[in-house]
Amino acid sequence: MLKSLKKMIKLNLKDKILFTITGLIIVVIPSLIMSLWVRTLPPAGFGTETNPYPWGSQTDFIHIYVTTNPGIAFSFLSNQNVVLVSLIQLIISLAVLVSIFFFANKRIYTFTLSGVVFGGLFNFFDRLIPKVIGGATIKNEVLDYLQFNTGFDAIFNVPDMCVVGGTSLFVVSVIVCVIFDLVNETKINKNKPINFFIDTTQKKCNMSIFQDNKNIYSKSIVTNNNLTDLVIEYIKKVCVKVKIKPEQINNFYLTTGPGSFTGNRIGTIIAKTWVSIGESINFYTIDSNYLQTKGNDISILDAKGSKYYVGIYKNNKLVGKVKILSIDEIELIKNKSKLDVSKDFEGIDIFKQLFFHIKDFKKVDWKKIKPNYIKPAITK
């Protein structure tokens, strides 16, 4: 069950780091500083006779008004049972956290919702800490201290601002992303050949539907050991996304490796599956090292065991053959040739490479599609 949950998580390591750093910098650190500082100030009504505000005045745009709140943001639910209020606050925060991990498919959503999660959790834990205000110990309440001079009497804190601000930015970002996607949506022209690119030889399953060397829809999915079982389903889902039927695909563009043993075999599986649908489908293949090269570089792909599949390219042509070399051997070639190294598609947009090399794909008979293993598969 844990493995199934891990497969469903959308956030990669970079997104998790962004989510955590954003929450710490925007919410936790400022909230801690303000919370500790206002504890040194007198509570509301304990200022001077002419100014009950310990910092700022009522005529200022913003002033400090130290008080506590038994409810959640802006005194909402302040008359309810403390356990109920705490549970609601915790459930909302955790629900948003779960939604980020499993459903956030854009980095902007992760960024904006981090304020909601960290703000809600900060207030939840703040409620658990007793506070000494004006000599009295107050339990089960959140420390509030900010008030704007706008005719809005609510008193709030930094986490409240992060929750409201994060929610507002999230809504705006969703609207902007939806509009952007609609404006930039490229529809399939069913009167032209429909091309499907798929690469499964590396760490991701990369798929693209394109026409006239323009990407219609692309998707990259981190793969696990069940790639063979799922690749046909992946293709069908992409077809559903662009509103075509699988049998409407005219041309398949495939990578044949080198790479993972299972991934290399996918081209053959796809060919056999689609030929059963219709024999008019064309197949085009390219070597994975070749797809990665920018024309003049050393293209290397992980071969496991501290070894790499290495192809040396000059003027977009392979020099010699793809070999399996160690990192030390690659370094010697790099120093001698003065060529840059392209490694495992790091920092390289594979879909841009697709169109850069579109003329380098070779048309093949589906019966002759062979995985490029370079070395025999290792079986346990």
Side-chain angles (χ1 to χ4, degrees), residues 12 68 94 149 155 202 210 241 295 335 367 377:
N12 57 34
T68 55
L94 293 179
N149 182 26
I155 304 166
Q202 308 307 312
F210 63 98
K241 186 71 177 180
N335 293 335
K367 297 176 184 177

Side-chain angles (χ1 to χ4, degrees), residues 7-287:
K7 293 175 188 176
M8 294 170 62
I9 291 177
K10 302 294 184 183
L11 256 62
N12 57 34
L13 181 59
K14 289 183 179 179
D15 291 330
K16 292 175 184 176
I17 293 173
L18 171 68
F19 173 76
T20 304
I21 292 177
T22 301
L24 290 174
I25 293 177
I26 295 180
V27 184
V28 177
I29 294 175
S31 298
L32 280 173
I33 293 172
M34 286 295 296
S35 181
L36 293 173
W37 176 59
V38 298
R39 277 175 165 81
T40 67
L41 302 176
F46 283 80
T48 63
E49 291 183 4
T50 56
N51 180 25
Y53 305 94
W55 186 85
S57 67
Q58 194 172 14
T59 58
D60 292 336
F61 175 70
I62 186 172
H63 46 260
I64 298 295
Y65 193 100
V66 185
T67 186
T68 55
N69 171 26
I72 55 177
F74 305 103
S75 299
F76 182 62
L77 299 178
S78 58
N79 296 322
Q80 299 298 319
N81 179 275
V82 64
V83 175
L84 175 63
V85 173
S86 299
L87 282 175
I88 291 175
Q89 193 167 43
L90 180 62
I91 290 170
I92 291 174
S93 300
L94 293 179
V96 176
L97 178 62
V98 170
S99 68
I100 292 173
F101 271 75
F102 289 97
F103 303 107
N105 58 353
K106 294 183 185 294
R107 188 159 290 172
I108 185 66
Y109 299 161
T110 304
F111 174 77
T112 55
L113 290 176
S114 64
V116 179
V117 173
F118 279 88
L121 291 177
F122 189 95
N123 275 343
F124 172 78
F125 288 108
D126 184 48
R127 186 184 305 279
L128 303 179
I129 302 173
K131 302 161 188 66
V132 178
I133 305 293
T137 301
I138 300 174
K139 299 180 180 180
N140 302 320
E141 295 191 14
V142 176
L143 185 65
D144 283 343
Y145 40 78
L146 292 172
Q147 188 176 40
F148 288 122
N149 182 26
T150 58
F152 183 51
D153 294 332
I155 304 166
F156 50 94
N157 56 24
V158 171
D160 290 341
M161 294 175 64
C162 293
V163 170
V164 174
T167 303
S168 302
L169 287 173
F170 171 70
V171 172
V172 171
S173 65
V174 169
I175 294 172
V176 170
C177 287
V178 169
I179 294 174
F180 181 84
D181 289 342
L182 289 173
V183 170
N184 290 277
E185 181 182 26
T186 306
K187 294 183 178 180
I188 287 282
N189 184 344
K190 296 181 180 179
N191 295 319
K192 292 184 177 182
I194 298 174
N195 309 304
F196 198 112
F197 164 75
I198 183 164
D199 165 66
T200 57
T201 61
Q202 308 307 312
K203 296 177 181 179
K204 294 181 179 180
C205 176
N206 301 295
M207 297 172 288
S208 169
I209 285 187
F210 63 98
Q211 289 182 311
D212 297 327
N213 292 351
K214 292 182 180 179
N215 185 51
I216 304 297
Y217 177 80
S218 60
K219 190 174 184 64
S220 296
I221 303 172
V222 177
T223 57
N224 296 288
N225 296 329
N226 59 345
L227 177 60
T228 304
D229 300 327
L230 295 178
V231 66
I232 302 301
E233 289 303 314
Y234 286 159
I235 296 173
K236 290 179 180 179
K237 286 181 180 180
V238 171
C239 290
V240 170
K241 186 71 177 180
V242 296
K243 300 177 181 178
I244 65 169
K245 296 178 180 179
E247 55 266 29
Q248 290 178 291
I249 298 173
N250 302 108
N251 305 303
F252 264 106
Y253 287 75
L254 310 168
T255 53
T256 56
S260 73
F261 173 64
T262 303
N264 287 352
R265 294 173 53 241
I266 294 300
T268 306
I269 295 171
I270 293 171
K272 289 180 179 179
T273 302
W274 255 261
V275 165
S276 66
I277 296 175
E279 293 189 7
S280 61
I281 297 173
N282 300 309
F283 292 92
Y284 298 83
T285 63
I286 193 172
D287 177 275

